[in-house]
């Protein structure tokens, strides 16, 4: 028994640096290795005219995934559909770069630097057109990326509170749904109505924000319902240490080192950010994938809450039945 305090002290001394190293790796590694990796980029114009542009872009080995379009109109449509982040259009007046800062100001800036630098080396000028611009109130996307952490914290807090209050089964599900709905309405009121960061349909944005919170809170409460209070730490740790830094909110998933970009889009913060961009700036284009990701996180989480509540109820009824039989035998 005398060794127990010492073991706990050693565990704390060892665990804290490990957690610090893990957090530093999760947040600093993607930031330090930001670069385009198979970034979808369009090239538009007659094949004979675009061949040189394609060769120049292919010199950036592995940086761009080229999509070919017949003309500028097709390239613009692809950008608005979120098929590509931008496009180089070859025109009689010279090359033109189409970007979409609403899809990620960092990506638009990267494309502009890459294309204009190459053109400057050849003595030509590139005209840049922002097809889907970011809102004037958030031109660098800083406010949108800053909203990822508060939404994740709100979801973790809701799941933890429901668990610690002892709510289970349908009551827990109702509490999580109600809390998420309020988070969505409140966040939309701040981001859209007050700050003007979001510019799409207000209720659609509120639904996305609420679903993002529900995906996290459902996962936290669901894992806790099956594993006990330690489930809060596990689910919360995954969301905070992987979901947030791997979300690509400040840049784009294709700018993060693999497999961070792919992992981030399968977790609620990344899927929620992508979906929010789609409904707010692109009229819902390419929203199906991230919406399904958030949906199955929410459904699985709430299902786990109901399953955990049913298992506990069965355990309590079994214990009560055993006690009754024992009392009957004694009587």
């Amino acid at each position: 028994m005398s060794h127990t305090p010492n073991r706990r002290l050693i565990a704390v001394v060892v665990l804290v640096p490990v957690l610090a190293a893990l957090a530093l790796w999760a947040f600093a590694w993607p930031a330090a290795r930001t670069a385009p990796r198979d970034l979808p980029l369009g090239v538009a114009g007659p094949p004979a005219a675009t061949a040189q542009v394609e060769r120049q872009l292919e010199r950036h080995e592995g940086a761009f995934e080229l999509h070919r379009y017949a003309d500028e109109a097709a390239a613009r449509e692809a950008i608005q559909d979120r098929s590509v982040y931008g496009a180089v259009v070859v025109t009689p007046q010279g090359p033109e770069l189409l970007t979409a800062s609403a899809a990620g100001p960092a990506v638009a800036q990267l494309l502009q630097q890459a294309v204009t630098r190459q053109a400057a080396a050849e003595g030509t000028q590139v005209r840049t057109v922002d097809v889907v611009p970011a809102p004037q109130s958030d031109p660098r996307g800083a406010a949108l990326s800053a909203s990822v952490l508060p939404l994740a914290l709100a979801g973790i807090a809701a799941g933890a509170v429901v668990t610690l209050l002892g709510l289970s089964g349908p009551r827990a599900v109702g509490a999580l749904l109600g809390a998420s709905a309020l988070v969505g309405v409140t966040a939309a009121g701040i981001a859209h109505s007050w700050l003007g960061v979001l510019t799409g349909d207000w209720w659609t944005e509120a639904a996305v924000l609420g679903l993002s919170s529900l995906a996290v809170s459902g996962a936290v409460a669901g894992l806790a319902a099956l594993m006990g209070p330690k489930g809060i730490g596990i689910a919360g740790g995954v969301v905070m240490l992987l979901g947030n830094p791997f979300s690509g909110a400040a840049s784009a998933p294709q700018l993060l080192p693999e497999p961070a970009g792919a992992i981030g889009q399968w977790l609620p913060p990344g899927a929620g950010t992508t979906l929010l961009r789609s409904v707010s700036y692109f009229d819902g284009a390419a929203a199906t994938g991230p919406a399904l990701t958030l949906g199955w996180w929410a459904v699985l989480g709430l299902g786990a809450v109901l399953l955990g509540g049913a298992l506990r109820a069965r355990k309590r009824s079994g214990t009560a039945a055993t006690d009754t039989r024992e009392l009957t035998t004694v009587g």
Side-chain angles (χ1 to χ4, degrees):
M1 295 295 292
S2 60
H3 295 291
T4 300
N6 292 333
R7 290 176 181 174
R8 291 177 178 173
L9 177 61
I10 294 173
V12 171
V13 171
V14 172
L15 184 61
V16 170
V18 169
L19 291 176
L22 181 60
L24 183 61
W25 164 79
F27 282 87
W29 171 56
R33 297 291 185 268
T34 299
R37 296 170 177 84
D38 292 326
L39 185 75
L41 177 65
V43 177
T50 60
Q52 183 179 357
V53 174
E54 292 178 13
R55 286 195 297 269
Q56 292 170 351
L57 293 172
E58 288 171 352
R59 291 175 186 173
H60 305 275
E61 188 174 352
F64 301 111
E65 178 186 277
L66 298 182
H67 298 250
R68 294 164 181 82
Y69 301 100
D71 51 29
E72 180 177 344
R76 284 176 174 267
E77 184 178 354
I79 292 173
Q80 292 165 349
D81 289 341
R82 303 207 70 183
S83 298
V84 294
Y85 280 92
V88 179
V89 182
V90 179
T91 69
Q93 293 75 29
E96 182 181 73
L97 174 63
L98 306 180
T99 63
S101 58
V107 180
Q109 184 179 9
L110 181 148
L111 291 177
Q112 189 171 3
Q113 290 175 349
V115 174
T116 57
R117 186 183 295 118
Q118 183 66 37
E122 299 177 355
T124 59
Q125 295 287 334
V126 178
R127 187 170 72 96
T128 302
V129 179
D130 198 346
V131 177
V132 187
Q136 294 182 356
S137 56
D138 189 25
R140 295 191 178 96
L144 181 66
S145 61
S147 67
V148 176
L149 180 59
L151 282 175
L153 289 175
I156 293 172
V161 169
V162 165
T163 301
L164 297 177
L165 289 179
L167 299 178
S168 62
R171 294 180 63 196
V173 169
L176 293 172
L177 290 172
S180 299
L182 288 176
V183 167
V185 170
T186 303
I190 294 174
H192 185 121
S193 303
W194 179 34
L195 299 177
V197 173
L198 304 178
T199 59
D201 179 75
W202 195 95
W203 286 106
T204 303
E205 293 166 353
V208 170
L209 292 165
L211 181 59
S212 299
S213 178
L214 180 63
V216 175
S217 63
V220 171
L223 201 58
L226 297 177
M227 300 180 62
K230 63 183 178 181
I232 299 175
I234 295 174
V238 170
V239 171
M240 292 299 297
L241 294 180
L242 295 180
N244 279 286
F246 291 0
S247 66
S251 54
Q254 291 85 357
L255 296 188
L256 302 180
E258 290 296 342
I263 292 174
Q265 293 305 296
W266 283 103
L267 294 174
T273 302
T274 300
L275 181 58
L276 189 60
R277 287 189 189 278
S278 291
V279 302
S280 183
Y281 309 133
F282 294 88
D283 294 326
T288 302
L292 290 175
T293 299
L294 291 177
W296 71 257
W297 270 98
V299 169
L300 289 178
L302 297 180
V305 170
L306 293 174
L307 177 60
L311 292 176
R312 283 198 298 270
R314 181 179 299 179
K315 184 178 180 180
R316 286 195 298 268
S317 62
T319 302
T322 301
D323 293 340
T324 301
R325 285 196 299 269
E326 290 176 355
L327 290 174
T328 302
T329 303
V330 172

